[in-house]
Amino acid sequence: MKQLPNSELEIIMIIWEYNRPVTRMEIEERGRHLDKTSVLAYLKRLEKRGFVEISKEGKNNIFTSIITEQDYMKNESKRILKEMYHNSLKNFVCA
């Protein structure tokens, strides 16, 4: 699992916050002021990375998180420990 850029991380965190499938408009309501085109582009990237599944419900696209917040945070914690502290909990605690 790769680290997400801040813009995509913000979008997936909004989806996690809802804790259910959401529409683009629901994401825009909770996110910083992004235009529709940007939100859709970030959601498309998240789909390509395997973080989000897109389905149709009537005229609306529905976005569902595939990766849980806990799984992502666990992976990021391991990555930070490895990259910044050479897998040393001692170095991490000392920092």
Side-chain angles (χ1 to χ4, degrees), residues 3 6 14 24 38 48 57-58 65 68 72 79 88-89 91 93 95:
Q3 179 183 12
N6 287 340
I14 292 169
R24 174 194 49 82
S38 297
K48 285 181 183 177
E57 193 173 284
S65 174
T68 66
Y72 183 76
R79 186 191 62 78
S88 169
L89 218 41
N91 290 347
V93 172

Side-chain angles (χ1 to χ4, degrees), residues 31-86:
R32 60 186 166 90
H33 302 285
L34 292 170
D35 62 274
K36 172 185 173 180
T37 307
S38 297
V39 171
L40 289 172
Y42 296 142
L43 286 164
K44 213 43 168 154
R45 286 187 212 153
L46 286 166
E47 180 189 33
K48 285 181 183 177
R49 293 176 190 259
F51 279 82
V52 168
E53 180 179 82
I54 302 174
S55 58
K56 270 285 209 210
E57 193 173 284
K59 293 181 180 181
N60 294 320
N61 283 331
I62 304 297
F63 304 93
T64 306
S65 174
I66 297 171
I67 304 294
T68 66
E69 183 176 12
Q70 293 78 13
D71 286 345
Y72 183 76
M73 295 306 172
K74 182 179 177 182
N75 189 66
E76 276 299 285
S77 298
K78 287 180 182 178
R79 186 191 62 78
I80 290 169
L81 186 63
K82 180 181 177 186
E83 290 180 11
M84 296 183 72
Y85 301 101
H86 309 295

